[in-house]
Amino acid sequence: MADDKKKSGVDNSLSGKAKKSGIPLGVLRKVFNRGMAAYRSSHRSSVKSPQQWAHARVNAFINKKPTVWGKADKDLAAQARKSKS
């Protein structure tokens, strides 16, 4: 039950971010999932959960931070640009 609530909260959060940013929800979900996976390999000690790390990655993607938009998720950035045109 707790996992369902977490998933629902993530979906609501990503859905809101997709609406505000104009980036498709599917693209943001992929960025989020990559953030979850990246947390497992390395993260800062101040980050308390994989969800926190993944949301930070989504926010960086939305704000077009070069480390995410131009490097780590470059392929997804291309999808986002394509969907806006």
Side-chain angles (χ1 to χ4, degrees), residues 3-42:
D3 286 337
D4 290 342
K5 285 185 180 181
K6 257 187 205 178
K7 187 174 182 183
S8 176
V10 167
D11 286 343
N12 288 338
S13 175
L14 292 179
S15 180
K17 290 177 185 197
K19 286 178 187 173
K20 287 182 182 178
S21 69
I23 298 171
L25 178 58
V27 172
L28 293 184
R29 277 192 182 128
K30 289 176 185 175
V31 174
F32 185 85
N33 290 337
R34 288 181 182 183
M36 293 283 284
Y39 177 86
R40 289 185 209 108
S41 63
S42 68

Side-chain angles (χ1 to χ4, degrees), residues 54-85:
H55 277 292
R57 185 166 175 155
V58 168
N59 292 338
F61 184 83
I62 289 170
N63 291 308
K64 299 179 181 171
K65 299 292 181 179
T67 55
V68 179
W69 186 262
K71 291 184 183 174
D73 294 323
K74 189 175 182 177
D75 60 323
L76 298 177
Q79 285 181 20
R81 281 191 297 274
K82 186 177 179 183
S83 71
K84 285 189 174 187
S85 58

